Amino acid sequence: MCIEVRKTCKCGSNTAQFHMRDNVMSQEVLTELYCPDCSAEVELNPESMLMDNGWLIEYDMDLAKFMAVSKLMADPDSVRPGFVFDGGWACWQEMYPGEQQDVMDERKEILALQKEDPSRYLKEISAGNINRIERLKAEGWRKAQAA
């Protein structure tokens, strides 16, 4: 079972869902979230923050280290923001914030092709996910890089 956490960015205009893999980390590990609009005003601290395509996540690294060491037997020196995010311990629920809505919008367009152009529909539906991941990689989304 995994905990799903929603967090609103510092300026209050965007919300992101977080995945807390295997309940290793608690939601308190996520201390602040900055969307691309409000992250421009924040200086990146690589010791406690992770930047992902304009979004900035700030972690309570003391708490993250404690949980990773006690629950995962991790080396405390290896517990950095990248470890927390890339391991899925406290990362986006989706590939990026808002992806679920974007996928639904794209699928509506593809489904419209089913009646208009069935052969194109089959090509689009089969290539859709592959093309999507490649586009997300090119855009620089961190979770897509590992896909």
Side-chain angles (χ1 to χ4, degrees), residues 3-145:
I3 296 173
E4 178 190 311
V5 175
R6 290 182 187 268
K7 193 146 184 80
T8 301
C9 69
K10 188 74 170 175
C11 71
S13 37
N14 292 289
T15 301
Q17 291 179 289
F18 286 86
H19 171 75
M20 312 299 276
R21 177 178 161 202
D22 298 334
N23 299 329
V24 169
M25 303 284 166
S26 67
Q27 64 185 8
E28 291 79 18
V29 166
L30 299 163
T31 58
E32 200 60 73
L33 176 66
Y34 302 90
C35 72
D37 293 333
C38 57
S39 69
E41 302 169 13
V42 179
E43 185 176 337
L44 175 68
N45 176 355
E47 297 299 316
S48 63
M49 298 173 159
L50 181 128
M51 179 70 79
D52 189 22
N53 223 6
W55 288 80
L56 186 60
I57 306 166
E58 185 172 10
Y59 295 103
D60 178 336
M61 291 309 298
D62 291 333
L63 181 57
K65 283 181 185 186
F66 172 77
M67 293 178 143
V69 169
S70 63
K71 294 182 178 182
L72 300 171
M73 307 305 166
D75 173 7
D77 293 335
S78 71
V79 182
R80 310 213 7 102
F83 172 92
V84 176
F85 187 91
D86 297 335
W89 309 116
C91 65
W92 307 129
Q93 175 72 29
E94 309 156 301
M95 288 283 191
Y96 63 90
E99 179 190 30
Q100 188 174 27
Q101 185 60 49
D102 291 349
V103 168
M104 287 175 25
D105 294 344
E106 289 172 11
R107 294 226 169 131
K108 283 180 189 174
E109 290 176 22
I110 292 172
L111 286 173
L113 291 172
Q114 192 172 17
K115 293 178 183 174
E116 298 168 16
D117 188 348
S119 63
R120 182 170 168 220
Y121 164 77
L122 290 173
K123 288 177 188 172
E124 292 286 331
I125 203 80
S126 63
N129 285 336
I130 295 168
N131 294 339
R132 175 173 232 310
I133 294 297
E134 291 305 314
R135 182 176 43 91
L136 295 176
K137 283 181 180 182
E139 290 174 2
W141 290 103
R142 194 171 178 114
K143 280 184 80 172
Q145 303 303 320

